[in-house]
Amino acid sequence: MTINDRTTATKRVPMDSLRKTALVAGVFYLLTFVSIPTLFLYAPVHDPKYIVGPGPDTGVIFGGILEVIVALAGIGTAVTLYPVVKRQNEGVALGFVGARVLEAATIFAGVACLLSVVTLRQAGAGAGALVTGQALVALYDRMFLIGQSFMPAVNAVLLGSLLYQSRLVPRGLSLIGIVGGPILLAGYIAVMFGLLGLHAPLAALSAIPVTLFEFSLGVWLIAKGFNPSAITSESA
């Protein structure tokens, strides 16, 4: 075996490993979109009289399961990407992991609020628990703002900057996250101060760039993986 052959064989191992890392991270990113149906599944629980109303609780429970999957997948994206992006800036990469974990924690807390409403309903708490149920739903909405508006904006800027500097993916894709983060943050602040409703069209529009960034990143990592020239440059 020549020296060139040995060099090629040595480089092939980390490249294959990084391709698998990209594939896993991409799958995790696409899994974070499985909670989209909760927009409809959670509609009944927002009825002020949900606790004393008729109908099954299956939709709310199923929605909670989907959100738990999203929370775990979010942590998975950060843990999977950390060994790769820390080469660019370990502090920022660690911040990304911490932000993802905090995002997941708020999602878990929000799900617990809604499942508590379901528990009150199934226990036959009656009209006396209406105020408690409404408070729990309101708490979920606030948790949603933090966990699925504010934290994704932070995550997009952190990861977007790491990917932009490292060129592991096309810079245009990274810029979507860098630019989309502040736009989503502006929408979050507008909702917090009552300038926009939680489900207002403008609030939804502010989330589109970050949503596009995360979905496109997931698809890119599965289909293309990391940029080989960036990996070779780091190895050199």
Side-chain angles (χ1 to χ4, degrees), residues 6-231:
R6 289 177 182 175
T7 303
T8 302
T10 302
K11 288 183 178 180
R12 189 178 297 120
V13 175
M15 286 292 287
D16 290 345
S17 176
L18 287 171
R19 184 66 188 95
K20 292 177 182 177
T21 298
L23 180 61
V24 172
V27 170
F28 275 136
Y29 260 109
L30 294 187
L31 276 176
T32 61
F33 288 87
V34 301
S35 67
I36 291 177
T38 59
L39 296 173
F40 309 100
L41 295 173
Y42 285 164
V45 81
H46 282 84
D47 184 344
K49 296 184 178 180
Y50 173 75
I51 287 181
V52 296
D57 304 311
T58 308
V60 179
I61 296 172
F62 185 62
I65 293 173
L66 292 180
E67 285 208 278
V68 168
I69 293 174
V70 168
L72 294 175
I75 296 174
T77 61
V79 172
T80 305
L81 289 174
Y82 176 74
V84 181
V85 296
K86 76 173 182 178
R87 302 172 186 177
Q88 186 63 38
N89 188 314
E90 188 170 1
V92 176
L94 189 59
F96 174 61
V97 174
R100 272 301 203 188
V101 172
L102 182 56
E103 176 185 346
T106 59
I107 293 175
F108 288 141
V111 171
C113 290
L114 293 190
L115 293 184
S116 296
V117 177
V118 172
T119 300
L120 290 172
R121 189 177 193 237
Q122 292 177 343
L130 284 175
V131 175
T132 302
Q134 293 167 12
L136 287 170
V137 173
L139 183 57
Y140 168 81
D141 288 339
R142 289 301 174 180
M143 288 287 185
F144 181 89
L145 274 177
I146 297 173
Q148 302 190 54
S149 289
F150 176 71
M151 293 311 303
V154 174
N155 293 331
V157 173
L158 291 176
L159 182 59
S161 62
L162 287 169
L163 295 176
Y164 183 85
Q165 294 170 20
S166 63
R167 298 176 183 266
L168 288 169
V169 299
R171 279 190 157 182
L173 177 55
S174 304
L175 280 173
I176 298 176
I178 296 173
V179 175
I183 294 175
L184 179 56
L185 183 60
Y188 163 80
I189 293 173
V191 173
M192 285 292 290
F193 283 92
L195 301 176
L196 292 175
L198 178 60
H199 303 292
L202 282 178
L205 286 174
S206 69
I208 289 179
V210 169
T211 302
L212 179 62
F213 167 66
E214 294 189 345
F215 183 79
S216 301
L217 180 59
V219 173
W220 182 272
L221 290 176
I222 291 174
K224 299 290 186 178
F226 299 117
N227 183 3
S229 62
I231 297 170

